[in-house]
């Protein structure tokens, strides 16, 4: 605060000095006063330009920092998801029961597809945050406990059946989660196709039998 007051006071003194110097030149050296006025005007324009540039760049830096932070957050989420997947695959390789192992492999493939899609469409990550925060860690916990029970040698027939049922549900959920990532694309495609068909009919290029080209009807097979 003290530095700001000192800078402001110095600026006022400089301005007063400049005005006094200009009046002095105007009184004793009129020609030089005109040159001084031009130089002062140019200097003032340069100062204004500098202030504008400082304001613009000062506003851009927070935005750039925000974008950098968002990108870092996305990368961290994807790295954590990939780490969870690797752990699931390590556990899967330790599973002895064929059905549990097969289901685990299918679930891991679905998770891998989800992670690849989110890497290409990071804007979808907020909508599936539960996938990272709950589904992957919980699935890892389930497989880890099942593997420990298998390796302990205690009877696991009932636990195996329950695990198979649970993994079947998880597999269905992962497949649906993957399909949901393309829900907007499917909606956009449907809307665009409907709009194109409507335009063709409006322009007389399409009727119930097909496209009209040069006065001849051509049936299209898709």
């Amino acid at each position: 605060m003290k530095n700001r007051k000192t800078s402001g006071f110095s600026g006022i003194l400089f301005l007063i000095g400049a005005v006094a110097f200009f009046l002095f030149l105007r009184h004793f050296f009129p020609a030089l006063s005109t040159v001084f006025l031009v130089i002062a005007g140019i200097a003032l324009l340069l100062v204004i330009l500098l202030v504008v540039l400082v304001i613009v760049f000062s506003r851009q830096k927070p935005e750039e920092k925000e974008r950098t932070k968002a990108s870092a957050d996305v990368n961290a989420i994807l790295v954590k998801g990939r780490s969870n997947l690797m752990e699931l695959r390590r556990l899967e390789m330790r599973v002895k029961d064929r059905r549990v192992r097969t289901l685990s492999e299918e679930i891991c493939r679905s998770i891998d597809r989800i992670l690849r899609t989110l890497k290409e469409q990071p804007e979808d990550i907020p909508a599936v945050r539960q996938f990272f925060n709950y589904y992957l860690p919980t699935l890892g916990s389930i497989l880890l406990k099942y593997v420990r029970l298998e390796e302990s040698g205690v009877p696991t027939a009932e636990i195996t059946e329950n695990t198979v049922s649970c993994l079947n549900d998880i597999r269905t959920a992962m497949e649906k989660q993957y399909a949901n990532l393309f829900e907007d694309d499917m909606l956009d495609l449907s809307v665009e196709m409907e709009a194109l068909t409507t335009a063709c009919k409006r322009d007389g290029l399409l009727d119930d039998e097909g496209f009209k080209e040069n006065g001849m009807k051509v049936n299209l097979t898709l």
Side-chain angles (χ1 to χ4, degrees):
M1 182 66 71
K2 187 176 180 180
N3 290 335
R4 289 184 180 178
K5 288 182 177 180
T6 303
S7 299
F9 184 69
S10 299
I12 292 173
L13 287 179
F14 178 78
L15 182 61
I16 293 173
V19 171
F21 184 66
F22 170 73
L23 294 176
F24 172 79
L25 290 176
R26 186 175 182 184
H27 188 269
F28 294 102
F29 306 98
L32 288 178
S33 68
T34 303
V35 174
F36 176 80
L37 189 62
V38 172
I39 294 174
I42 294 173
L44 181 61
L45 288 175
L46 290 175
V47 170
I48 293 173
L49 179 61
L50 180 61
V51 170
V52 170
L53 290 175
V54 169
I55 292 174
V56 170
F57 281 111
S58 66
R59 288 182 177 179
Q60 286 182 344
K61 284 182 179 179
E63 294 176 357
E64 290 175 359
K65 287 181 180 179
E66 192 65 29
R67 285 196 296 268
T68 302
K69 182 178 181 300
S71 178
D73 290 344
V74 167
N75 288 334
I77 290 172
L78 291 176
V79 167
K80 185 64 168 62
R82 186 60 62 179
S83 175
N84 287 336
L85 176 59
M86 290 176 63
E87 179 61 23
L88 288 172
R89 282 176 167 160
R90 281 193 291 268
L91 291 170
E92 163 209 311
M93 294 176 66
R94 293 168 59 185
V95 172
K96 298 175 183 177
D97 185 86
R98 182 181 57 80
R99 292 176 300 163
V100 173
R101 188 166 187 169
T102 298
L103 286 169
S104 299
E105 290 173 351
E106 292 175 357
I107 291 170
C108 285
R109 281 197 293 270
S110 293
I111 293 172
D112 183 60
R113 290 191 299 171
I114 290 171
L115 291 173
R116 290 177 184 275
T117 302
L118 290 174
K119 185 176 182 180
E120 296 175 358
Q121 302 171 193
E123 67 276 6
D124 290 335
I125 287 179
V128 295
R129 196 168 291 274
Q130 184 81 342
F131 170 78
F132 294 98
N133 295 339
Y134 179 73
Y135 296 153
L136 294 186
T138 304
L139 177 58
S141 177
I142 290 171
L143 279 181
L144 176 60
K145 290 173 181 176
Y146 179 79
V147 166
R148 285 176 177 173
L149 285 171
E150 267 194 336
E151 293 175 348
S152 70
V154 301
T156 59
E158 183 178 354
I159 291 296
T160 296
E161 293 302 321
N162 291 338
T163 303
V164 168
S165 176
C166 176
L167 292 181
N168 263 316
D169 291 339
I170 294 174
R171 178 182 60 179
T172 301
M174 291 298 102
E175 290 173 353
K176 186 174 182 180
Q177 180 74 88
Y178 178 68
N180 286 345
L181 294 175
F182 299 93
E183 195 172 38
D184 289 342
D185 291 335
M186 290 187 289
L187 179 61
D188 290 344
L189 178 60
S190 177
V191 171
E192 289 178 4
M193 289 191 297
E194 184 177 351
L196 180 59
T197 301
T198 301
C200 289
K201 289 181 178 179
R202 180 194 62 215
D203 296 337
L205 300 174
L206 183 68
D207 58 14
D208 293 336
E209 297 181 12
F211 281 102
K212 296 177 180 178
E213 184 177 350
N214 298 326
M216 298 178 63
K217 295 181 181 178
V218 181
N219 290 324
L220 297 180
T221 303
L222 298 179

